[in-house]
Amino acid sequence: MHRSRSREEGLIAILPQDYEVVLDHAQQLIADANHSIDIVHARQRGTDEQAERTERELLGGARQGVAVRLLSSPDLMDEEFAVEQSGSQRPVAIRVAQIPPIQALIADRETALVVAHAAVGRRASLIRVPEVMRTLATLFDNVWVQALPAGERLVFGDRRRAALTRRILGALQTSVTDEVAAREQGISVRTYRRHVADIMTMLGATSRFQAGARAAELGLLPPVKR
């Protein structure tokens, strides 16, 4: 048991709090990856924001042929980077989902760099424990299949249309009737239903309630309080 515990402890390394050092480890993991790189980008914004390297800078060191997936929270989504990838010869697959604040990089499903915030501040760990790696990979895959591809994100348009769209999403989330929702928005029921149809199509929803719930999952609306 002692040997087993010592071996496992040796497969988990706590990194210094200096975020530049953490990013150095991330860059090395990306450069060494042979098959796959999965990234969760949902950190809390910190005081060292300006010191952080961007995804394009880090992923530029990935080897030819390595499959790269980036899972981002809505508020950290780099739209410009997503547009660049759509026309790239080696595109990074990017999806968006509402994720708890955490930063993770999984290389070849064998090594993970996980950064999270705790009461003592930012904590970064380098993990190579097989059982933990399998769990992390499974969690990533489960969120990935439910996430929205970056190219299909809801485009609100101008500020006025954005406000209307958010109000309609809120109505869908609470399941009010078309007549009540249309009256509250000051539009006809026919116009309201046309907006609903467009929103459902963009969100890939098969029901109005699903569209409201989907919007909450993607960070377009706050989750329903229970």
Side-chain angles (χ1 to χ4, degrees):
M1 289 177 61
H2 174 72
R3 284 197 301 269
S4 177
R5 189 181 303 112
S6 297
R7 176 178 174 276
E8 184 168 305
E9 289 174 352
L11 295 177
I12 300 179
I14 306 300
L15 301 181
Q17 289 197 355
D18 184 341
Y19 204 58
E20 285 295 334
V21 174
V22 175
L23 289 174
D24 287 341
H25 279 82
Q27 202 152 23
Q28 191 60 54
L29 282 178
I30 289 172
D32 291 343
N34 293 308
H35 309 293
S36 66
I37 298 169
D38 293 330
I39 297 176
V40 178
H41 184 49
R43 57 172 166 70
Q44 291 181 347
R45 297 183 184 276
T47 56
D48 54 358
E49 183 85 13
Q50 298 301 318
E52 297 180 9
R53 279 158 263 181
T54 63
E55 288 88 350
R56 61 170 59 84
E57 291 172 324
L58 291 173
L59 293 174
R63 295 177 179 176
Q64 184 76 27
V66 173
V68 182
R69 297 188 295 178
L70 173 63
L71 188 60
S72 175
S73 60
D75 59 326
L76 292 178
M77 179 64 197
D78 186 339
E79 301 286 358
E80 183 179 340
F81 181 63
V83 171
E84 288 178 5
Q85 294 310 304
S86 64
S88 173
Q89 292 184 342
R90 298 170 53 198
V92 173
I94 305 174
R95 294 194 177 187
V96 185
Q98 192 67 20
I99 319 166
I102 190 172
Q103 194 83 342
L105 188 158
I106 304 172
D108 291 335
R109 307 220 151 187
E110 296 177 352
T111 306
L113 174 60
V114 179
V115 183
H117 286 261
V120 295
R122 180 188 278 135
R123 298 295 301 272
S125 303
L126 201 58
I127 302 171
R128 294 188 177 88
V129 181
E131 295 80 6
V132 177
M133 290 306 307
R134 283 194 291 272
T135 300
L136 289 174
T138 299
L139 287 172
F140 184 95
D141 289 342
N142 288 341
V143 177
W144 181 264
V145 297
Q146 297 295 327
L148 188 68
E152 298 176 14
R153 293 193 72 203
L154 188 62
V155 178
F156 285 148
D158 59 32
R159 185 172 300 180
R160 182 175 175 276
R161 181 176 175 80
L164 174 61
T165 302
R166 290 185 187 278
R167 291 197 299 270
I168 292 176
L169 283 169
L172 295 176
Q173 189 182 46
T174 54
S175 300
V176 300
T177 65
D178 289 359
E179 290 74 18
V180 170
R183 185 168 59 249
E184 289 178 347
Q185 308 311 322
I187 57 179
S188 69
V189 174
R190 181 177 180 180
T191 299
Y192 174 81
R193 287 173 176 167
R194 188 172 66 248
H195 281 304
V196 169
D198 291 341
I199 291 170
M200 288 178 61
T201 298
M202 286 186 286
L203 290 175
T206 57
S207 71
R208 296 180 176 204
F209 180 79
Q210 185 185 39
R214 183 74 166 145
E217 290 175 2
L218 297 171
L220 302 173
L221 283 176
V224 177
K225 295 182 178 179
R226 302 190 183 279

